[in-house]
């Protein structure tokens, strides 16, 4: 392969070599060198490498993909108010550590009002996280386009703005990661009414996240007139949970078929639904049972299964005569 650099023009290159694409980059680098003095070129190279390192390590496409996956998971979680003594960390609570007398001191009306506040704060928190993630996506796209710019002179001239952009994106990433930390969602309010001489307990009011309940699509199977369902939670809770399973027949054809639906409380992660119609499609949904502390649950998993066909009816057997009769 041979080429010459003459001013800003290039002679034609032969593209029959496996190194043609690599040589093309060398040609472009040679062109860039023609636009800058040696010292400016060294500065340009150092700054370009710094930008590439930021996009590779601090704001990589793989890292953003992981954050998008975590964000999608948060949108499927359920959010609950946790009432904790101040000396406990979130997740350490249990009925023995948190006496029932504490709930007896809490004003029910004020607690319901704080649940509404918790719902609003959770929605705002999720919106803010989504907005910060969009800022990171846009920032990476802009910096990546700048890195691919063929002319180094605007890159050098606007480096101060690039540095500011890098600092801004680093701050956005820090804010995003801080909001993702469990326990960062918290609200405070005086929930205990005036109890006279009774000593008011020192409590914290926080929002906690519970992982979504999801069907096991490999283990959930349909049979002729019943289905076996299985679901799971990514992080198993310390105490057993109650679930609510719903099912309904899709496209019922008669009033009787319209009754093929129901709501079933379940205290396990498996359940068999019987007395279904063969060769019909049913929709199933599962979620945690409604609890006193729930403030926001925007999503529930659903699964559609079709029962198997019934056995075909064969010809009715002939009645055999008694022995000795024709």
């Amino acid at each position: 392969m041979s080429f010459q650099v003459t001013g800003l023009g290039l002679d034609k290159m032969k593209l029959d070599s496996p190194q043609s694409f690599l040589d093309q980059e060398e040609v472009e680098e040679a062109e860039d060198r023609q636009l800058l003095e040696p010292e400016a070129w060294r500065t340009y190279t150092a700054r370009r490498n710094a930008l590439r390192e930021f996009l590779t390590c601090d704001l990589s496409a793989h890292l953003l993909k992981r954050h998008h996956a975590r964000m999608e998971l948060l949108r499927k979680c359920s959010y609950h108010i946790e009432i904790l003594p101040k000396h406990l960390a979130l997740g350490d609570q249990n009925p023995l550590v948190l006496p029932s007398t504490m709930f007896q001191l809490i004003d029910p009306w004020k607690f319901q009002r704080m649940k509404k506040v918790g719902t609003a704060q959770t929605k705002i928190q999720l919106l803010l996280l989504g907005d910060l993630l969009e800022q990171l996506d846009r920032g990476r796209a802009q910096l990546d386009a700048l890195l691919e710019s063929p002319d180094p002179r605007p890159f050098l001239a606007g480096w101060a703005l690039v540095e500011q952009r890098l600092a801004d994106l680093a701050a956005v990433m820090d804010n995003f990661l801080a909001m993702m930390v469990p326990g960062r969602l918290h609200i405070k309010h005086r929930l205990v009414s005036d109890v006279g001489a009774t000593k008011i307990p020192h409590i914290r009011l926080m929002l906690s996240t519970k992982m979504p309940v999801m069907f096991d699509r490999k283990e959930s199977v349909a049979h002729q007139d019943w289905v076996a369902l299985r679901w799971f939670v990514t992080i198993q809770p310390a105490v057993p949970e109650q679930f609510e399973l719903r099912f309904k027949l899709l496209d019922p054809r008669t009033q009787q078929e319209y009754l093929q639906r129901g709501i079933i409380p379940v205290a396990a992660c498996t359940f068999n639904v019987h007395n279904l119609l063969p060769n019909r499609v049913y929709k199933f949904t599962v979620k945690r049972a409604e609890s006193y502390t729930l403030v926001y649950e925007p999503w529930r998993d659903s699964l559609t299964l079709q029962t198997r066909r019934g056995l075909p009816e064969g010809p009715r057997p002939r009645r055999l005569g008694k022995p000795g009769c024709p």
Side-chain angles (χ1 to χ4, degrees):
M1 176 179 296
S2 62
F3 59 84
Q4 286 185 325
V5 178
T6 307
L8 298 180
L10 296 175
D11 289 350
K12 293 183 179 179
M13 296 192 305
K14 297 180 180 179
L15 299 180
D16 55 355
S17 168
Q19 297 293 324
S20 59
F21 293 103
L22 179 61
D23 291 341
Q24 177 65 30
E25 293 181 359
E26 294 175 353
V27 171
E28 293 174 354
E29 183 176 331
E31 283 185 315
D32 293 340
R33 283 179 179 271
Q34 299 296 318
L35 301 176
L36 299 173
E37 297 295 329
E39 183 64 29
W41 173 256
R42 285 191 292 269
T43 301
Y44 167 72
T45 302
R47 293 175 176 177
R48 182 183 175 89
N49 290 337
L51 177 57
R52 181 180 285 110
E53 181 179 0
F54 180 84
L55 292 177
T56 302
C57 301
D58 300 327
L59 199 61
S60 68
H62 176 70
L63 182 61
L64 289 179
K65 183 178 180 179
R66 287 177 53 195
H67 288 330
H68 275 283
R70 295 176 66 187
M71 190 68 224
E72 187 63 26
L73 181 63
L74 283 178
R75 292 190 177 106
K76 295 179 178 179
C77 290
S78 60
Y79 297 86
H80 300 252
I81 282 185
E82 298 289 351
I83 302 172
L84 305 174
K86 286 191 174 180
H87 64 277
L88 279 185
L90 185 64
D92 291 341
Q93 68 273 20
N94 61 66
L96 298 178
V97 178
L98 191 61
S100 59
T101 54
M102 182 173 294
F103 290 98
Q104 296 174 5
L105 295 174
I106 293 174
D107 187 308
W109 183 83
K110 291 182 178 180
F111 186 73
Q112 291 299 322
R113 186 173 65 177
M114 289 313 300
K115 285 178 65 175
K116 294 181 180 179
V117 175
T119 302
Q121 180 172 325
T122 303
K123 292 180 179 180
I124 292 173
Q125 195 85 8
L126 292 174
L127 287 174
L128 287 175
L129 282 170
D131 181 70
L132 291 174
L133 193 54
E134 288 181 3
Q135 290 183 45
L136 294 174
D137 287 333
R138 290 196 302 268
R140 175 180 168 77
Q142 293 168 355
L143 293 177
D144 193 54
L146 182 63
L147 192 64
E148 299 300 324
S149 175
D151 190 348
R153 290 172 296 188
F155 184 95
L156 287 175
W159 180 249
L161 295 177
V162 174
E163 286 186 311
Q164 183 61 49
R165 186 62 174 149
L166 294 178
D168 292 342
L169 287 173
V172 170
M173 179 65 80
D174 289 341
N175 291 335
F176 178 82
L177 294 177
M179 287 188 181
M180 298 285 280
V181 176
R184 294 286 297 186
L185 295 171
H186 61 277
I187 49 181
K188 299 179 180 179
H189 192 76
R190 183 182 176 86
L191 290 179
V192 181
S193 301
D194 187 5
V195 291
T198 303
K199 184 178 179 181
I200 298 176
H202 296 285
I203 63 176
R204 290 182 299 161
L205 189 63
M206 305 184 69
L207 285 175
S208 66
T209 303
K210 292 186 178 182
M211 291 295 103
V213 182
M214 305 180 72
F215 280 112
D216 187 332
R217 281 162 168 76
K218 291 184 178 180
E219 297 295 330
S220 298
V221 294
H223 301 273
Q224 180 179 331
D225 60 353
W226 65 283
V227 297
L229 299 173
R230 183 182 295 272
W231 55 88
F232 63 93
V233 181
T234 305
I235 301 177
Q236 290 296 328
V239 294
E241 291 189 290
Q242 303 289 322
F243 302 96
E244 178 186 281
L245 175 66
R246 297 183 178 224
F247 74 96
K248 68 176 181 178
L249 173 67
L250 299 182
D251 299 324
R253 301 163 188 167
T254 65
Q255 188 65 29
Q256 189 67 24
E257 288 186 355
Y258 184 80
L259 300 177
Q260 286 269 315
R261 61 176 60 207
I263 303 175
I264 308 170
V266 184
C269 290
T270 61
F271 193 81
N272 297 336
V273 183
H274 292 272
N275 300 319
L276 303 180
L277 299 176
N279 195 30
R280 300 297 293 274
V281 179
Y282 288 83
K283 180 179 180 181
F284 304 89
T285 61
V286 65
K287 72 180 189 68
R288 287 184 179 86
E290 194 80 14
S291 69
Y292 185 61
T293 60
L294 177 66
V295 297
Y296 189 54
E297 189 178 35
W299 181 86
R300 65 181 63 180
D301 197 12
S302 63
L303 177 65
T304 302
L305 293 174
Q306 180 172 352
T307 52
R308 296 179 182 177
R309 293 178 179 272
L311 295 176
E313 295 186 2
R316 298 183 64 180
R318 294 167 50 193
R319 294 186 60 184
L320 300 177
K322 294 181 180 181
C325 295

